[in-house]
Amino acid sequence: MAHVADLREATAELVRDGDSVALEGFTHLIPTAAAHEIIRQGRKDLTLIRMTPDLIYDQMIGMGCARKLVFSWGGNPGVGSLHRFRDAVENDWPAPLEIEEHSHAGMANRYVAGASNLPFAVLRGYVGTDLPKVTSTIAPIKCPFTGEELMAVPALNPDVSIIHAQQADGRGNVAIWGISGIQKEAVLSARRAIVTVEEVVDELVPHPFQVVLPAVAIDAISVEPKGAHPSYADGYYDRDNSFYEAWDPIGRDREEFGAWMEEHVLGTENFGEYLESVRAKGMVTK
Amino acid sequence: MAHVADLREATAELVRDGDSVALEGFTHLIPTAAAHEIIRQGRKDLTLIRMTPDLIYDQMIGMGCARKLVFSWGGNPGVGSLHRFRDAVENDWPAPLEIEEHSHAGMANRYVAGASNLPFAVLRGYVGTDLPKVTSTIAPIKCPFTGEELMAVPALNPDVSIIHAQQADGRGNVAIWGISGIQKEAVLSARRAIVTVEEVVDELVPHPFQVVLPAVAIDAISVEPKGAHPSYADGYYDRDNSFYEAWDPIGRDREEFGAWMEEHVLGTENFGEYLESVRAKGMVTK
Amino acid sequence: MTTDGNTGKAAGSYTTDEMMTVAASRELADGTVCFVGIGLPSEAANLARATHAPGCVLIYESGTVGAKPDVLPLSIGDGVLAEHADSVVSVPEIFNYWLQAGRVDVGFLGAAQVDRFGNINTTVVGDYDSPKVRLPGAGGAPEIATSAKEVIIMLRHRPRALVEELSFITSVGHGTGGNAREELGLPGKGPTALITDLGVLRPDPETKELTLVVLHPGATVEQAREATGWDLKVAVNPGSTEPPTEKELKLLRELKARTEAARKGTSA
Amino acid sequence: MTTDGNTGKAAGSYTTDEMMTVAASRELADGTVCFVGIGLPSEAANLARATHAPGCVLIYESGTVGAKPDVLPLSIGDGVLAEHADSVVSVPEIFNYWLQAGRVDVGFLGAAQVDRFGNINTTVVGDYDSPKVRLPGAGGAPEIATSAKEVIIMLRHRPRALVEELSFITSVGHGTGGNAREELGLPGKGPTALITDLGVLRPDPETKELTLVVLHPGATVEQAREATGWDLKVAVNPGSTEPPTEKELKLLRELKARTEAARKGTSA
């Protein structure tokens, strides 16, 4: 059952070296504050899971937190490559990164199977592509009624899933509105779940296309205003597009990357301080 | 793409003799007006599909519309038996009724598979029960990764699905709020879809736990105020519990049932007239 | 829902049905996630919420999670279940993401008939193809019985309800007894209690046969034997249920009075 | 998103990129349900919506159905996609209930590389295990290519983009040509057009090899041959694209100006 906790404590308690960890967010509501806290605490050997790894996974990979990446699309949306991700895959820097690669449809259904406590999911996909040649977690399956052959993918059950949401109420129920992506399934498929929120309110009110995750499905809630920056939180702040652009040259260079992480993430105590630190460099535009 | 149509025309165009038809609604928003119109038009040989057949399927079965029932729980909720359903199963009156019986979990997943264009769904269910002995649409399936054995059920793809919703907007998008049950999957798994609504509004506004079905998934929308009576429409009217109680003695007797249907359903032109007719008998309490 | 069992005798100042509901409500520890059937289980679960277990998370198969009805629902999808719920989800989600996912601590079920191993019949009496009585069918029960961590069944003690042999196994309890559930690979541990209007039956740790372990005040072993369709096993020293407290009785009666008033209100 | 292709020459009063976008937008009939990739496809689809196809239903993989962005989204999940959408659903729903269900008429895709049969690579250049270039990966494309009733691909005409052999088949076009799709059991009919900044390629009805059938104004067969990594097949009498109309050009430029202003606004 959800309790409101400091993000540092929640991370210390719930995220462990060697865990499989999903920090989900589909362009909207990316849990940046939580990713930074994992980096600050120096977690190692993580299997990072995410449909759309972007800046935060680039940072975690570049800082050596990850052993493996399970994903379906890795890039800097609207800008280009994730250079730390590429450096790890192309040059094993800072360490080799094992990858397990799927399509979005495959990943989404793997989470659905995990949330449903089923060992696998079935979909029409992958046929004719080279993905089954390089990804062992894709296998044919026959319909017992029609004999038709489809593809199966195994369930995802992360040790920890972390998402960012707009609000929690006093009981610990969490509200996401606007684009909610795969967040519900990420939380419900996980053994442990942390949610960072913009704020805690007395009572949730209906918003367009709102999803409410009941408190009983969540282990810890941490209040992290602007905790999804540079992505956006519908109703709170817009996407900071220029930050994504600014990340490209930083991520491109190993030393510049290291210095930037040292100064802004490792050199700060929490996300509030981080935001001040990057704002002072003109990197936060709102 | 949804067009607003008279329910009589929509039924004439989209519901055909011999069709498999799902009129869904999980206690809330039961499409009574649409069921009556199917009875008025004398449809025959239907395969009726529904998780929770209640009064409207009792009426359709008693009036001889149905050849087969695919279901998981058939009763008069809070009152007792469906006497027309029982009479058909126990005594073949007015005609034999083939039944295909599942659990709620099985039916729900069959709709999910249908909506997903998959031939089957997988669940943890049925094991150790007598259902697989009497229902041929349950079969074991092995996980290709773990070897674990689970159960498979075939997809449901009704020829027509019909639901009742609170509102449609000017573009034909449909809003359901409160308990939405299996309605989304019923519509999306069907070849054709009819939605009756309480009213058409300019713009949908957020309501608690609202589901919006896009216009492109719907063939016809008909405005039928109070069209879910005696069930309820959250935001419009409450459940008419006494009607469910009043149905018991009517449904229990073949002749009384026949006379009642003749007078109130066959003897009226539309649902508005029907409501007046039963209201005149003191059967509609609000 | 029958509010006072037709044949239930009042023992002192409460009825046997009230005793049954109170006894069942006490089985629910605070904070429990409970998948609730309509009727008696719903009554007991909401009494628990009103008394010692305000933090219980009640789940109804219509999709309500954390339902907090102030009156008893007459159907599984009454509006009062959604009104103050933590969340309302689709029916596939409630069965897949909540029940099958193993998030339910207690499945709280009614039944038409049970056998000595807590298997449940809600399908037919007599032959399936030409039944003597066609019952409503499975509903959510088979998978509740499979996936809830434990199951509590409520049923009035009658020879036609507690039967020697079921015409149909709709939902599995302890199957043929012993390790049957493990052998079938069922995740939950099955029925841990059958609460009747006479007492409480619990499975024998070895054989899993339901055994009368507690009698409600005023009920006798003899009565229970007569009202059971099989040769009832009785614990060596059956315990005795604490009678309803004043608070329990008051809150139960208020709940039912509010329900009755609301029902009449709707029908007025 | 590059707004004016770096090497695109203006032909008259418009750029080759503008011609490409306009040509692609014309492929979309009004009322079409279109699953839209970010970048060039999104630009073309929204131009179509602004010009001749206001009733198009645009679906983005982030879960927006009937998106009506007034500026171009920079990412697949921008808020502007949800704002006026008919509905916003979860990612599993968009892939299962919409795409896999066969509700999508046109899949509108970009690519890093295509081959002569319209197969797409967005995974790696070079060896998979030690790649020369690691590309972003599959995203939604493999299943769009499988399940959309037809697929339109947009790609600037360069020898490194239209290649003889793909390092990796991320999404299937016409496979090895001929009846390959039927043999693989794929539901949609695959790529029906590859729109480049030089012209339009369509699959040969028999062999399914992409064939240059239309040239944009100013472009030559020679240019197209040089910019293609395989021995390009050319129709006997390639047609010529109608240049952008004043209205098309005006609306496209307004869309991009609004997008630029909004982007700056966010960053100001």
Side-chain angles (χ1 to χ4, degrees), chain D residues 49-98:
Chain D
R49 220 171 45 76
T51 53
H52 64 284
C56 274
V57 178
L58 303 191
I59 293 182
Y60 287 79
E61 65 192 20
S62 51
T64 52
V65 179
K68 300 167 200 74
D70 49 1
V71 302
L72 295 170
L74 294 166
S75 83
I76 202 79
D78 274 19
V80 72
L81 295 174
E83 214 169 320
H84 305 289
D86 292 334
S87 192
V88 177
V89 304
S90 72
V91 165
E93 279 187 37
I94 210 76
F95 281 102
N96 293 343
Y97 290 180
W98 287 85

Side-chain angles (χ1 to χ4, degrees), chain A residues 2-278:
Chain A
H3 62 285
V4 175
D6 185 79
L7 181 57
R8 188 185 309 187
E9 285 158 31
T11 306
E13 184 197 338
L14 298 168
V15 186
R16 299 156 200 170
D17 284 352
D19 273 355
S20 59
V21 182
L23 290 93
E24 276 292 353
F26 211 92
T27 311
H28 185 204
L29 294 171
I30 293 168
T32 310
H36 284 182
E37 189 53 36
I38 291 172
I39 292 169
R40 263 187 218 106
Q41 297 194 14
R43 286 292 171 286
K44 293 279 169 222
D45 240 2
L46 302 178
T47 293
L48 296 179
I49 304 172
R50 186 160 165 209
M51 294 184 64
T52 53
D54 64 353
L55 272 51
I56 59 173
Y57 275 27
D58 209 32
Q59 294 172 351
M60 292 171 84
I61 291 165
M63 294 300 283
C65 302
R67 185 183 67 72
K68 182 175 175 181
L69 178 68
V70 182
F71 77 112
S72 40
W73 191 91
N76 181 340
V79 178
S81 289
L82 294 179
H83 299 290
R84 295 298 94 228
F85 160 61
R86 282 186 56 178
D87 206 7
V89 173
E90 294 170 10
N91 311 307
D92 291 350
W93 193 93
L97 181 72
E98 190 186 335
I99 60 177
E100 180 181 327
E101 188 161 7
H102 280 265
S103 66
H104 278 353
M107 285 291 283
N109 279 295
R110 295 185 69 187
Y111 277 119
V112 169
S116 304
N117 186 27
L118 291 174
F120 67 101
V122 177
L123 72 157
R124 297 182 186 279
Y126 300 108
V127 174
T129 77
D130 286 338
L131 284 162
K133 294 180 190 161
V134 298
T135 303
S136 62
T137 46
I138 302 169
I141 190 165
K142 232 186 234 319
C143 172
F145 304 103
T146 64
E148 194 184 350
E149 197 172 88
L150 299 113
M151 283 298 193
V153 286
L156 282 171
N157 287 108
D159 292 317
V160 199
S161 284
I162 306 177
I163 65 165
H164 186 75
Q166 282 103 334
Q167 297 177 342
D169 69 12
R171 291 176 47 84
N173 301 306
V174 165
I176 302 173
W177 63 85
I179 290 171
S180 61
I182 192 70
Q183 279 98 311
K184 186 196 313 193
E185 284 77 13
V187 164
L188 294 179
S189 65
R191 292 179 182 86
R192 306 184 286 278
I194 302 174
V195 181
T196 57
V197 296
E198 289 296 322
E199 61 175 332
V200 173
V201 297
D202 285 344
E203 205 167 338
L204 303 175
V205 298
H207 283 86
F209 313 113
Q210 182 163 289
V211 168
V212 178
L213 289 168
V216 70
I218 298 159
D219 294 283
I221 293 174
S222 300
V223 180
E224 288 291 345
K226 219 161 179 178
H229 180 275
S231 84
Y232 71 105
D234 192 346
Y236 286 87
Y237 44 89
D238 289 334
R239 192 168 190 268
D240 191 350
N241 295 310
S242 69
F243 190 98
Y244 286 87
E245 285 164 13
W247 181 253
D248 188 73
I250 297 165
R252 199 180 283 270
D253 185 87
R254 289 179 187 173
E255 287 190 17
E256 197 168 336
F257 165 76
W260 193 93
M261 293 299 292
E262 187 65 52
E263 178 179 357
H264 298 294
V265 179
L266 298 182
T268 56
E269 289 288 313
N270 55 47
F271 200 66
E273 280 191 18
Y274 158 84
L275 283 173
E276 275 178 46
S277 168
V278 285

Side-chain angles (χ1 to χ4, degrees), chain B residues 214-241:
Chain B
V216 69
I218 298 158
D219 294 282
I221 293 173
S222 300
V223 181
E224 287 292 344
K226 218 159 179 179
H229 180 275
S231 85
Y232 71 104
D234 191 346
Y236 286 87
Y237 44 91
D238 289 334
R239 193 167 189 268
D240 191 350
N241 295 310

Side-chain angles (χ1 to χ4, degrees), chain B residues 94-133:
Chain B
L97 181 72
E98 190 186 336
I99 61 177
E100 180 181 327
E101 187 160 7
H102 280 266
S103 66
H104 278 354
M107 285 291 284
N109 279 294
R110 296 184 68 186
Y111 277 120
V112 168
S116 304
N117 185 28
L118 291 174
F120 67 101
V122 177
L123 73 156
R124 296 182 187 280
Y126 301 108
V127 174
T129 77
D130 285 338
L131 284 162
K133 294 180 191 161

Side-chain angles (χ1 to χ4, degrees), chain B residues 26-28 51-52 71-75 77-81 85-86 89-90 99-106 108-109 111-112 122-135 148 178-182 184-185 209 232 234 238-242 245 285-286, chain C residues 1 38 61-64 74-83 85-92 95-96 100 122-124 128-140 142-143 146-147 166-172 184-187 262-263 265-268:
Chain B
F26 211 91
T27 310
H28 185 204
M51 294 185 64
T52 53
F71 77 113
S72 41
W73 191 91
V79 179
S81 289
F85 161 60
R86 281 185 58 179
V89 173
E90 294 169 12
I99 61 177
E100 180 181 327
E101 187 160 7
H102 280 266
S103 66
H104 278 354
N109 279 294
Y111 277 120
V112 168
V122 177
L123 73 156
R124 296 182 187 280
Y126 301 108
V127 174
T129 77
D130 285 338
L131 284 162
K133 294 180 191 161
V134 299
T135 304
E148 195 184 349
I179 291 170
S180 61
I182 192 70
K184 186 195 316 193
E185 285 76 13
F209 313 113
Y232 71 104
D234 191 346
D238 289 334
R239 193 167 189 268
D240 191 350
N241 295 310
S242 68
E245 286 162 14
T285 49
K286 277 219 166 164
Chain C
M1 186 178 0
I38 210 68
E61 66 192 19
S62 51
T64 53
L74 294 167
S75 84
I76 202 79
D78 273 19
V80 71
L81 295 174
E83 214 169 322
D86 291 336
S87 192
V88 177
V89 303
S90 72
V91 165
F95 281 102
N96 293 343
Q100 186 170 272
T122 55
T123 304
V124 286
Y128 183 79
D129 288 318
S130 49
K132 226 165 70 187
V133 184
R134 173 65 231 196
L135 299 165
E143 283 76 21
T146 296
S147 288
L166 299 177
S167 302
F168 195 95
I169 298 181
T170 314
S171 304
V172 187
L184 290 169
L186 303 179
R263 190 196 315 217
T266 309
S267 318

